Structures are given as structure tokens and as C-alpha cells.
Amino acid sequence: MEMELSLEQYETLLKLVYMGDWVISTLQAKDRSEDEPDTDSRFADVVRHVFSQAEHAGLGNIVQIDQNNGEPYLTREFEEESGLVDILEDYEDEVFWQALIERLAHRDFLRHYGETAISQMAIEERIEKETPFHDKWAQEFHENGLENLKI
């Protein structure tokens, strides 16, 4: 299968592959010990292939080859200048706040109604009754960040 991309499209593809690889690598690192190899090389194979074609596509200036292991990677300058670092930082920030809100809202929902009562609710009722807890935490963090959280 051959795919034709403009220079701009290929650069965008490099960015997308980089971000996808970053997410997968983060998850894989969390799930394995330091001395354990990657459990799924399918992702790494695709990253390697897409990055290794950058020179041929006319974007060799943004991909380099690691002299130690021969693996292609995006240059640090490109990562920073292309906005990739900012996108990933914004993504991490958004995921953090959404996960925190969802977990605290669900915790409070469980405490308020109890597992038995919740298990007997229709999905629409669950959503309706859990939403105020979500809204409360979303408002709290929007107004105060982590300032009021205490243990």
C-alpha cells in the first residue's frame, strides 16, 4: 500500500506518530519494570518506519538517527519549535484535571447514595444524580486549583 502525502502532511504525520508514541511509551513504562523489554513492538515498528522515511520525504532535517542504536527520532529543536511539547503538556494537564474531577465526583456519589442504591438506578438516573458532584468539583478546581485540597 502506497500513500502519497505533501510535505506538510508528512510533517503532520510525524507529529501525530510522535504524540501517539509518547502516550503508548508512557503507558508501557508504567506497566513494566526497568529490566523488562517492551511487550508490544508493533507501535515501535510503525514509529521507526514513519520516522525513517522522513529523509526520503524531504524532512531529514527534523529526524536524526541515534548513533548508538540506529533508531530514528525527532530532533529536540523540532519537538520544541513545532509546539509538540506544549501540546503534550496541555494534554497531560487536561487529563489530570478531568481524571481528578471524575474520581472525586464518583467517590462522593458513592458515599452519598451507596453502592446498592446506585446499582438499582437506571443509567440516566445515575448520570443525573452524579452530575452535581462532577459540577461541584469542576467549579472548585476552576476557581481554586489544588489550594483547598487537604488530607
Side-chain angles (χ1 to χ4, degrees):
M1 177 176 142
E2 182 117 358
M3 185 170 37
E4 299 243 353
L5 298 172
S6 70
L7 195 61
E8 183 179 331
Q9 289 173 322
Y10 198 87
E11 183 175 318
T12 300
L13 178 61
L14 288 171
K15 292 175 184 178
L16 289 168
V17 168
Y18 174 87
M19 288 185 284
D21 182 52
W22 180 87
V23 170
I24 295 298
S25 297
T26 300
L27 293 174
Q28 286 179 342
K30 178 180 96 54
D31 292 339
R32 71 176 190 281
S33 64
E34 294 265 336
D35 56 343
E36 191 179 342
D38 288 349
T39 55
D40 190 345
S41 65
R42 293 175 301 166
F43 300 111
D45 291 344
V46 170
V47 171
R48 189 178 305 108
H49 180 71
V50 171
F51 281 15
S52 68
Q53 299 300 311
E55 177 94 36
H56 177 70
L59 293 168
N61 61 318
I62 63 175
V63 175
Q64 294 181 330
I65 305 298
D66 187 303
Q67 298 304 313
N68 296 322
N69 62 17
E71 294 289 323
Y73 64 95
L74 294 183
T75 64
R76 173 65 66 201
E77 296 80 25
F78 180 73
E79 288 177 7
E80 292 171 358
E81 291 171 10
S82 67
L84 284 171
V85 172
D86 294 334
I87 291 169
L88 290 171
E89 286 175 353
D90 289 347
Y91 171 77
E92 282 182 330
D93 199 46
E94 184 65 24
V95 167
F96 168 78
W97 288 112
Q98 288 305 314
L100 185 59
I101 290 166
E102 293 298 325
R103 290 175 185 179
L104 289 170
H106 191 69
R107 179 203 65 187
D108 292 352
F109 176 60
L110 279 169
R111 286 179 178 172
H112 185 80
Y113 290 101
E115 284 186 46
T116 304
I118 292 171
S119 69
Q120 296 171 355
M121 293 178 190
I123 189 69
E124 295 83 9
E125 183 182 5
R126 285 184 194 181
I127 292 169
E128 180 185 325
K129 290 185 174 179
E130 189 170 359
T131 297
F133 296 101
H134 181 277
D135 293 347
K136 176 190 101 170
W137 284 112
Q139 172 136 7
E140 171 60 33
F141 293 133
H142 176 74
E143 292 175 1
N144 301 303
L146 298 173
E147 186 62 33
N148 293 332
L149 276 185
K150 293 179 180 45
I151 294 183

Short mmCIF file of all heavy atoms in Angstrom, two decimals, residues 23-87:
data_model
loop_
_atom_site.label_atom_id
_atom_site.label_comp_id
_atom_site.label_asym_id
_atom_site.label_seq_id
_atom_site.Cartn_x
_atom_site.Cartn_y
_atom_site.Cartn_z
N VAL A 23 2.37 8.68 24.16
CA VAL A 23 1.30 8.15 25.00
C VAL A 23 1.52 6.65 25.25
O VAL A 23 1.48 6.20 26.40
CB VAL A 23 -0.09 8.39 24.37
CG1 VAL A 23 -1.18 7.63 25.11
CG2 VAL A 23 -0.41 9.89 24.35
N ILE A 24 1.77 5.88 24.20
CA ILE A 24 1.97 4.44 24.34
C ILE A 24 3.20 4.14 25.19
O ILE A 24 3.16 3.28 26.07
CB ILE A 24 2.11 3.77 22.95
CG1 ILE A 24 0.82 3.88 22.17
CG2 ILE A 24 2.55 2.32 23.08
CD1 ILE A 24 -0.38 3.20 22.79
N SER A 25 4.28 4.85 24.96
CA SER A 25 5.51 4.63 25.74
C SER A 25 5.29 4.91 27.22
O SER A 25 5.81 4.21 28.07
CB SER A 25 6.65 5.50 25.21
OG SER A 25 6.97 5.15 23.89
N THR A 26 4.52 5.95 27.51
CA THR A 26 4.21 6.28 28.90
C THR A 26 3.44 5.15 29.55
O THR A 26 3.74 4.73 30.67
CB THR A 26 3.41 7.59 28.97
OG1 THR A 26 4.18 8.64 28.40
CG2 THR A 26 3.07 7.94 30.41
N LEU A 27 2.45 4.62 28.86
CA LEU A 27 1.65 3.51 29.40
C LEU A 27 2.47 2.24 29.54
O LEU A 27 2.36 1.53 30.54
CB LEU A 27 0.43 3.25 28.51
CG LEU A 27 -0.62 4.35 28.49
CD1 LEU A 27 -1.69 4.04 27.46
CD2 LEU A 27 -1.22 4.55 29.86
N GLN A 28 3.29 1.94 28.55
CA GLN A 28 4.11 0.73 28.62
C GLN A 28 5.13 0.83 29.75
O GLN A 28 5.38 -0.15 30.44
CB GLN A 28 4.82 0.48 27.28
CG GLN A 28 3.89 -0.04 26.22
CD GLN A 28 4.58 -0.28 24.89
OE1 GLN A 28 5.67 0.22 24.62
NE2 GLN A 28 3.94 -1.04 24.03
N ALA A 29 5.70 2.01 29.95
CA ALA A 29 6.69 2.18 31.02
C ALA A 29 6.04 1.98 32.38
O ALA A 29 6.63 1.42 33.30
CB ALA A 29 7.33 3.56 30.93
N LYS A 30 4.79 2.40 32.51
CA LYS A 30 4.06 2.25 33.77
C LYS A 30 3.78 0.78 34.08
O LYS A 30 3.77 0.36 35.22
CB LYS A 30 2.74 3.02 33.68
CG LYS A 30 1.85 2.92 34.89
CD LYS A 30 0.58 3.72 34.70
CE LYS A 30 -0.58 3.02 34.24
NZ LYS A 30 -1.29 1.97 34.56
N ASP A 31 3.57 -0.01 33.02
CA ASP A 31 3.16 -1.40 33.19
C ASP A 31 4.30 -2.40 33.24
O ASP A 31 4.07 -3.59 33.36
CB ASP A 31 2.21 -1.80 32.06
CG ASP A 31 0.87 -1.09 32.15
OD1 ASP A 31 0.54 -0.62 33.26
OD2 ASP A 31 0.18 -0.99 31.13
N ARG A 32 5.55 -1.95 33.13
CA ARG A 32 6.65 -2.92 33.16
C ARG A 32 7.79 -2.42 34.05
O ARG A 32 7.90 -1.23 34.31
CB ARG A 32 7.16 -3.23 31.76
CG ARG A 32 7.92 -2.11 31.10
CD ARG A 32 8.47 -2.55 29.75
NE ARG A 32 9.38 -1.60 29.21
CZ ARG A 32 9.03 -0.47 28.61
NH1 ARG A 32 7.77 -0.16 28.47
NH2 ARG A 32 9.94 0.36 28.14
N SER A 33 8.61 -3.34 34.47
CA SER A 33 9.76 -2.98 35.29
C SER A 33 10.89 -2.48 34.39
O SER A 33 10.86 -2.63 33.18
CB SER A 33 10.23 -4.19 36.10
OG SER A 33 10.69 -5.20 35.23
N GLU A 34 11.89 -1.91 35.01
CA GLU A 34 13.02 -1.31 34.29
C GLU A 34 13.73 -2.30 33.37
O GLU A 34 14.15 -1.95 32.29
CB GLU A 34 14.04 -0.75 35.30
CG GLU A 34 13.52 0.42 36.10
CD GLU A 34 13.90 1.74 35.48
OE1 GLU A 34 14.88 1.79 34.75
OE2 GLU A 34 13.18 2.72 35.74
N ASP A 35 13.90 -3.55 33.81
CA ASP A 35 14.68 -4.52 33.04
C ASP A 35 13.83 -5.36 32.09
O ASP A 35 14.34 -6.20 31.37
CB ASP A 35 15.47 -5.43 33.97
CG ASP A 35 14.58 -6.13 34.99
OD1 ASP A 35 13.44 -5.70 35.18
OD2 ASP A 35 15.06 -7.12 35.59
N GLU A 36 12.54 -5.12 32.05
CA GLU A 36 11.63 -5.86 31.19
C GLU A 36 11.51 -5.15 29.83
O GLU A 36 11.33 -3.94 29.77
CB GLU A 36 10.26 -5.92 31.87
CG GLU A 36 9.29 -6.86 31.24
CD GLU A 36 7.96 -6.85 32.02
OE1 GLU A 36 7.94 -6.40 33.18
OE2 GLU A 36 6.97 -7.28 31.44
N PRO A 37 11.62 -5.87 28.72
CA PRO A 37 11.53 -5.23 27.41
C PRO A 37 10.10 -4.82 27.08
O PRO A 37 9.16 -5.23 27.74
CB PRO A 37 12.00 -6.33 26.46
CG PRO A 37 11.69 -7.61 27.16
CD PRO A 37 11.84 -7.30 28.64
N ASP A 38 9.95 -4.00 26.02
CA ASP A 38 8.61 -3.63 25.55
C ASP A 38 7.81 -4.88 25.25
O ASP A 38 8.31 -5.82 24.65
CB ASP A 38 8.70 -2.79 24.27
CG ASP A 38 9.21 -1.38 24.53
OD1 ASP A 38 9.31 -0.99 25.70
OD2 ASP A 38 9.52 -0.68 23.55
N THR A 39 6.56 -4.89 25.66
CA THR A 39 5.73 -6.06 25.45
C THR A 39 5.08 -6.06 24.07
O THR A 39 4.66 -7.10 23.59
CB THR A 39 4.62 -6.13 26.53
OG1 THR A 39 3.90 -4.90 26.51
CG2 THR A 39 5.22 -6.35 27.90
N ASP A 40 4.99 -4.93 23.40
CA ASP A 40 4.35 -4.86 22.11
C ASP A 40 5.18 -3.95 21.20
O ASP A 40 5.19 -2.74 21.37
CB ASP A 40 2.93 -4.31 22.27
CG ASP A 40 2.12 -4.44 21.00
OD1 ASP A 40 2.72 -4.67 19.92
OD2 ASP A 40 0.90 -4.30 21.08
N SER A 41 5.86 -4.56 20.25
CA SER A 41 6.75 -3.78 19.38
C SER A 41 6.03 -3.24 18.15
O SER A 41 6.64 -2.52 17.36
CB SER A 41 7.94 -4.62 18.96
OG SER A 41 7.50 -5.70 18.15
N ARG A 42 4.74 -3.56 17.98
CA ARG A 42 4.02 -3.08 16.80
C ARG A 42 4.07 -1.56 16.70
O ARG A 42 4.26 -1.01 15.62
CB ARG A 42 2.56 -3.53 16.82
CG ARG A 42 2.37 -5.02 16.67
CD ARG A 42 0.92 -5.39 16.83
NE ARG A 42 0.47 -4.95 18.15
CZ ARG A 42 -0.81 -4.87 18.50
NH1 ARG A 42 -1.75 -5.19 17.65
NH2 ARG A 42 -1.15 -4.48 19.70
N PHE A 43 3.88 -0.90 17.82
CA PHE A 43 3.89 0.56 17.82
C PHE A 43 5.27 1.09 17.48
O PHE A 43 5.41 1.98 16.64
CB PHE A 43 3.43 1.10 19.17
CG PHE A 43 2.04 0.66 19.54
CD1 PHE A 43 1.82 -0.22 20.58
CD2 PHE A 43 0.93 1.12 18.83
CE1 PHE A 43 0.54 -0.63 20.91
CE2 PHE A 43 -0.35 0.72 19.15
CZ PHE A 43 -0.55 -0.16 20.20
N ALA A 44 6.28 0.54 18.11
CA ALA A 44 7.66 0.98 17.85
C ALA A 44 8.05 0.75 16.40
O ALA A 44 8.76 1.56 15.81
CB ALA A 44 8.62 0.27 18.79
N ASP A 45 7.58 -0.35 15.82
CA ASP A 45 7.89 -0.64 14.42
C ASP A 45 7.31 0.42 13.49
O ASP A 45 7.96 0.85 12.54
CB ASP A 45 7.37 -2.02 14.02
CG ASP A 45 8.11 -3.16 14.69
OD1 ASP A 45 9.21 -2.93 15.23
OD2 ASP A 45 7.57 -4.29 14.68
N VAL A 46 6.08 0.85 13.76
CA VAL A 46 5.45 1.87 12.93
C VAL A 46 6.16 3.21 13.11
O VAL A 46 6.43 3.92 12.14
CB VAL A 46 3.93 2.00 13.24
CG1 VAL A 46 3.33 3.22 12.55
CG2 VAL A 46 3.21 0.73 12.83
N VAL A 47 6.49 3.56 14.34
CA VAL A 47 7.21 4.81 14.60
C VAL A 47 8.53 4.80 13.84
O VAL A 47 8.87 5.76 13.14
CB VAL A 47 7.46 5.01 16.12
CG1 VAL A 47 8.38 6.19 16.36
CG2 VAL A 47 6.14 5.19 16.84
N ARG A 48 9.27 3.72 13.98
CA ARG A 48 10.56 3.59 13.31
C ARG A 48 10.40 3.74 11.80
O ARG A 48 11.15 4.46 11.15
CB ARG A 48 11.17 2.22 13.65
CG ARG A 48 12.59 2.04 13.20
CD ARG A 48 13.15 0.66 13.63
NE ARG A 48 13.03 0.43 15.06
CZ ARG A 48 12.17 -0.43 15.63
NH1 ARG A 48 11.35 -1.15 14.89
NH2 ARG A 48 12.14 -0.58 16.94
N HIS A 49 9.38 3.10 11.24
CA HIS A 49 9.18 3.15 9.79
C HIS A 49 8.82 4.57 9.33
O HIS A 49 9.40 5.07 8.36
CB HIS A 49 8.07 2.17 9.39
CG HIS A 49 7.81 2.16 7.92
ND1 HIS A 49 8.68 1.62 7.01
CD2 HIS A 49 6.77 2.65 7.21
CE1 HIS A 49 8.19 1.77 5.80
NE2 HIS A 49 7.02 2.39 5.89
N VAL A 50 7.88 5.20 9.99
CA VAL A 50 7.46 6.55 9.59
C VAL A 50 8.62 7.53 9.74
O VAL A 50 8.88 8.34 8.84
CB VAL A 50 6.22 7.01 10.39
CG1 VAL A 50 5.90 8.48 10.14
CG2 VAL A 50 5.02 6.13 10.05
N PHE A 51 9.34 7.46 10.86
CA PHE A 51 10.46 8.37 11.07
C PHE A 51 11.59 8.12 10.07
O PHE A 51 12.24 9.05 9.60
CB PHE A 51 11.00 8.25 12.50
CG PHE A 51 10.18 8.96 13.54
CD1 PHE A 51 8.89 9.40 13.29
CD2 PHE A 51 10.70 9.18 14.80
CE1 PHE A 51 8.14 10.05 14.26
CE2 PHE A 51 9.97 9.84 15.77
CZ PHE A 51 8.69 10.27 15.50
N SER A 52 11.83 6.86 9.74
CA SER A 52 12.94 6.55 8.84
C SER A 52 12.68 7.01 7.41
O SER A 52 13.61 7.17 6.63
CB SER A 52 13.25 5.05 8.86
OG SER A 52 12.19 4.33 8.28
N GLN A 53 11.42 7.27 7.06
CA GLN A 53 11.08 7.75 5.72
C GLN A 53 11.15 9.27 5.60
O GLN A 53 10.97 9.82 4.51
CB GLN A 53 9.67 7.27 5.35
CG GLN A 53 9.51 5.77 5.31
CD GLN A 53 10.42 5.11 4.30
OE1 GLN A 53 10.48 5.54 3.15
NE2 GLN A 53 11.14 4.10 4.73
N ALA A 54 11.41 9.95 6.70
CA ALA A 54 11.42 11.41 6.69
C ALA A 54 12.46 11.98 5.73
O ALA A 54 12.18 12.95 5.01
CB ALA A 54 11.65 11.96 8.09
N GLU A 55 13.63 11.39 5.68
CA GLU A 55 14.69 11.87 4.77
C GLU A 55 14.20 11.80 3.33
O GLU A 55 14.30 12.76 2.57
CB GLU A 55 15.94 11.02 4.95
CG GLU A 55 17.07 11.39 4.01
CD GLU A 55 18.03 12.36 4.63
OE1 GLU A 55 18.28 12.25 5.84
OE2 GLU A 55 18.53 13.23 3.90
N HIS A 56 13.64 10.68 2.97
CA HIS A 56 13.12 10.47 1.60
C HIS A 56 11.99 11.46 1.29
O HIS A 56 11.85 11.90 0.13
CB HIS A 56 12.63 9.03 1.45
CG HIS A 56 12.02 8.73 0.13
ND1 HIS A 56 12.77 8.66 -1.03
CD2 HIS A 56 10.74 8.51 -0.23
CE1 HIS A 56 11.97 8.41 -2.04
NE2 HIS A 56 10.72 8.30 -1.58
N ALA A 57 11.21 11.82 2.29
CA ALA A 57 10.09 12.74 2.09
C ALA A 57 10.53 14.20 2.07
O ALA A 57 9.73 15.08 1.80
CB ALA A 57 9.04 12.54 3.19
N GLY A 58 11.81 14.46 2.35
CA GLY A 58 12.31 15.84 2.35
C GLY A 58 12.32 16.49 3.71
O GLY A 58 12.45 17.70 3.83
N LEU A 59 12.18 15.66 4.77
CA LEU A 59 12.17 16.21 6.13
C LEU A 59 13.30 15.63 6.99
O LEU A 59 13.16 15.50 8.20
CB LEU A 59 10.81 15.92 6.79
CG LEU A 59 9.63 16.67 6.17
CD1 LEU A 59 8.31 16.13 6.68
CD2 LEU A 59 9.73 18.16 6.44
N GLY A 60 14.38 15.31 6.33
CA GLY A 60 15.52 14.75 7.06
C GLY A 60 16.11 15.69 8.09
O GLY A 60 16.78 15.26 9.02
N ASN A 61 15.82 16.97 7.96
CA ASN A 61 16.34 17.95 8.92
C ASN A 61 15.65 17.87 10.29
O ASN A 61 16.16 18.42 11.26
CB ASN A 61 16.19 19.37 8.36
CG ASN A 61 14.73 19.73 8.09
OD1 ASN A 61 13.97 18.92 7.56
ND2 ASN A 61 14.36 20.95 8.42
N ILE A 62 14.51 17.21 10.37
CA ILE A 62 13.81 17.14 11.66
C ILE A 62 13.88 15.75 12.30
O ILE A 62 13.39 15.56 13.40
CB ILE A 62 12.35 17.62 11.56
CG1 ILE A 62 11.52 16.73 10.64
CG2 ILE A 62 12.29 19.06 11.13
CD1 ILE A 62 10.04 17.11 10.61
N VAL A 63 14.46 14.80 11.59
CA VAL A 63 14.65 13.46 12.14
C VAL A 63 16.13 13.13 12.10
O VAL A 63 16.80 13.36 11.10
CB VAL A 63 13.85 12.40 11.32
CG1 VAL A 63 14.15 11.00 11.82
CG2 VAL A 63 12.36 12.68 11.39
N GLN A 64 16.63 12.61 13.21
CA GLN A 64 18.02 12.17 13.29
C GLN A 64 18.06 10.69 13.63
O GLN A 64 17.08 10.13 14.10
CB GLN A 64 18.78 12.98 14.34
CG GLN A 64 18.94 14.43 13.98
CD GLN A 64 19.72 15.20 15.03
OE1 GLN A 64 19.69 14.87 16.21
NE2 GLN A 64 20.41 16.24 14.61
N ILE A 65 19.22 10.10 13.42
CA ILE A 65 19.42 8.69 13.74
C ILE A 65 20.34 8.61 14.95
O ILE A 65 21.42 9.20 14.96
CB ILE A 65 20.04 7.92 12.55
CG1 ILE A 65 19.21 8.10 11.28
CG2 ILE A 65 20.23 6.46 12.91
CD1 ILE A 65 17.80 7.56 11.36
N ASP A 66 19.90 7.87 15.97
CA ASP A 66 20.72 7.67 17.16
C ASP A 66 21.95 6.85 16.78
O ASP A 66 21.83 5.77 16.22
CB ASP A 66 19.89 6.93 18.22
CG ASP A 66 20.61 6.83 19.56
OD1 ASP A 66 21.74 6.29 19.59
OD2 ASP A 66 20.04 7.27 20.57
N GLN A 67 23.13 7.39 17.08
CA GLN A 67 24.38 6.73 16.71
C GLN A 67 24.61 5.43 17.48
O GLN A 67 25.33 4.55 17.02
CB GLN A 67 25.56 7.69 16.91
CG GLN A 67 25.50 8.94 16.07
CD GLN A 67 25.39 8.63 14.58
OE1 GLN A 67 26.12 7.80 14.05
NE2 GLN A 67 24.46 9.28 13.89
N ASN A 68 24.00 5.29 18.65
CA ASN A 68 24.19 4.09 19.47
C ASN A 68 23.33 2.92 19.03
O ASN A 68 23.80 1.78 19.00
CB ASN A 68 23.92 4.39 20.95
CG ASN A 68 24.90 5.39 21.51
OD1 ASN A 68 26.08 5.37 21.18
ND2 ASN A 68 24.40 6.30 22.32
N ASN A 69 22.07 3.19 18.72
CA ASN A 69 21.17 2.07 18.41
C ASN A 69 20.55 2.14 17.01
O ASN A 69 19.76 1.26 16.64
CB ASN A 69 20.06 1.96 19.46
CG ASN A 69 19.18 3.19 19.52
OD1 ASN A 69 19.16 4.00 18.61
ND2 ASN A 69 18.45 3.34 20.63
N GLY A 70 20.84 3.19 16.25
CA GLY A 70 20.34 3.30 14.89
C GLY A 70 18.87 3.69 14.79
O GLY A 70 18.29 3.66 13.70
N GLU A 71 18.25 4.04 15.91
CA GLU A 71 16.83 4.39 15.91
C GLU A 71 16.63 5.85 15.49
O GLU A 71 17.33 6.74 15.96
CB GLU A 71 16.23 4.20 17.31
CG GLU A 71 16.21 2.77 17.78
CD GLU A 71 15.19 1.92 17.04
OE1 GLU A 71 14.10 2.45 16.72
OE2 GLU A 71 15.49 0.75 16.77
N PRO A 72 15.63 6.10 14.62
CA PRO A 72 15.34 7.48 14.24
C PRO A 72 14.53 8.17 15.34
O PRO A 72 13.75 7.54 16.05
CB PRO A 72 14.50 7.31 12.97
CG PRO A 72 13.86 5.97 13.10
CD PRO A 72 14.82 5.13 13.90
N TYR A 73 14.72 9.47 15.47
CA TYR A 73 13.98 10.26 16.46
C TYR A 73 13.87 11.69 15.98
O TYR A 73 14.68 12.15 15.17
CB TYR A 73 14.65 10.20 17.83
CG TYR A 73 16.03 10.82 17.87
CD1 TYR A 73 16.21 12.14 18.26
CD2 TYR A 73 17.16 10.08 17.52
CE1 TYR A 73 17.47 12.72 18.29
CE2 TYR A 73 18.43 10.65 17.55
CZ TYR A 73 18.57 11.97 17.93
OH TYR A 73 19.81 12.54 17.95
N LEU A 74 12.84 12.39 16.45
CA LEU A 74 12.69 13.81 16.12
C LEU A 74 13.72 14.62 16.89
O LEU A 74 13.99 14.34 18.05
CB LEU A 74 11.29 14.30 16.48
CG LEU A 74 10.12 13.71 15.71
CD1 LEU A 74 8.82 14.38 16.15
CD2 LEU A 74 10.30 13.85 14.21
N THR A 75 14.26 15.63 16.24
CA THR A 75 15.25 16.46 16.92
C THR A 75 14.60 17.24 18.05
O THR A 75 13.40 17.55 18.00
CB THR A 75 15.90 17.47 15.95
OG1 THR A 75 14.90 18.37 15.49
CG2 THR A 75 16.56 16.76 14.78
N ARG A 76 15.36 17.55 19.07
CA ARG A 76 14.87 18.32 20.21
C ARG A 76 14.36 19.68 19.74
O ARG A 76 13.34 20.17 20.20
CB ARG A 76 16.00 18.47 21.24
CG ARG A 76 15.68 19.39 22.41
CD ARG A 76 14.58 18.93 23.30
NE ARG A 76 14.93 17.71 24.01
CZ ARG A 76 14.05 16.87 24.55
NH1 ARG A 76 12.77 17.13 24.46
NH2 ARG A 76 14.43 15.81 25.18
N GLU A 77 15.09 20.29 18.80
CA GLU A 77 14.68 21.60 18.28
C GLU A 77 13.29 21.52 17.65
O GLU A 77 12.45 22.39 17.87
CB GLU A 77 15.68 22.12 17.24
CG GLU A 77 17.06 22.39 17.79
CD GLU A 77 17.91 21.12 17.94
OE1 GLU A 77 17.67 20.12 17.23
OE2 GLU A 77 18.81 21.12 18.80
N PHE A 78 13.06 20.47 16.85
CA PHE A 78 11.75 20.34 16.21
C PHE A 78 10.67 20.10 17.25
O PHE A 78 9.59 20.67 17.17
CB PHE A 78 11.75 19.22 15.17
CG PHE A 78 10.42 19.06 14.49
CD1 PHE A 78 10.00 20.00 13.56
CD2 PHE A 78 9.58 18.01 14.80
CE1 PHE A 78 8.77 19.88 12.94
CE2 PHE A 78 8.34 17.88 14.19
CZ PHE A 78 7.94 18.82 13.25
N GLU A 79 10.93 19.24 18.23
CA GLU A 79 9.96 18.97 19.29
C GLU A 79 9.50 20.28 19.94
O GLU A 79 8.32 20.50 20.17
CB GLU A 79 10.55 18.06 20.37
CG GLU A 79 10.73 16.63 19.96
CD GLU A 79 11.39 15.80 21.06
OE1 GLU A 79 11.58 16.32 22.18
OE2 GLU A 79 11.73 14.66 20.77
N GLU A 80 10.47 21.14 20.24
CA GLU A 80 10.16 22.39 20.94
C GLU A 80 9.56 23.44 20.02
O GLU A 80 8.57 24.08 20.37
CB GLU A 80 11.43 22.91 21.62
CG GLU A 80 11.87 22.01 22.76
CD GLU A 80 13.23 22.36 23.33
OE1 GLU A 80 13.88 23.30 22.82
OE2 GLU A 80 13.65 21.67 24.28
N GLU A 81 10.14 23.62 18.83
CA GLU A 81 9.68 24.67 17.92
C GLU A 81 8.35 24.35 17.26
O GLU A 81 7.60 25.25 16.89
CB GLU A 81 10.75 24.93 16.85
CG GLU A 81 11.99 25.58 17.42
CD GLU A 81 13.14 25.63 16.41
OE1 GLU A 81 12.90 25.35 15.22
OE2 GLU A 81 14.26 25.95 16.83
N SER A 82 8.02 23.07 17.12
CA SER A 82 6.78 22.68 16.45
C SER A 82 5.57 22.77 17.36
O SER A 82 4.44 22.62 16.91
CB SER A 82 6.90 21.25 15.92
OG SER A 82 6.99 20.34 17.02
N GLY A 83 5.81 22.98 18.65
CA GLY A 83 4.70 23.05 19.60
C GLY A 83 4.33 21.70 20.19
O GLY A 83 3.39 21.61 20.98
N LEU A 84 5.03 20.63 19.82
CA LEU A 84 4.71 19.30 20.34
C LEU A 84 4.80 19.24 21.86
O LEU A 84 3.92 18.66 22.51
CB LEU A 84 5.65 18.24 19.74
CG LEU A 84 5.38 17.83 18.31
CD1 LEU A 84 6.50 16.95 17.79
CD2 LEU A 84 4.05 17.12 18.19
N VAL A 85 5.81 19.83 22.41
CA VAL A 85 5.99 19.82 23.86
C VAL A 85 4.81 20.52 24.54
O VAL A 85 4.24 20.01 25.51
CB VAL A 85 7.33 20.46 24.27
CG1 VAL A 85 7.43 20.63 25.77
CG2 VAL A 85 8.50 19.64 23.73
N ASP A 86 4.40 21.66 23.99
CA ASP A 86 3.26 22.39 24.55
C ASP A 86 1.97 21.59 24.44
O ASP A 86 1.17 21.55 25.38
CB ASP A 86 3.08 23.74 23.83
CG ASP A 86 4.23 24.69 24.09
OD1 ASP A 86 4.89 24.56 25.15
OD2 ASP A 86 4.48 25.55 23.23
N ILE A 87 1.76 20.94 23.29
CA ILE A 87 0.55 20.13 23.11
C ILE A 87 0.51 19.01 24.13
O ILE A 87 -0.53 18.77 24.77
CB ILE A 87 0.50 19.55 21.68
CG1 ILE A 87 0.26 20.67 20.67
CG2 ILE A 87 -0.58 18.47 21.56
CD1 ILE A 87 0.47 20.24 19.21
#
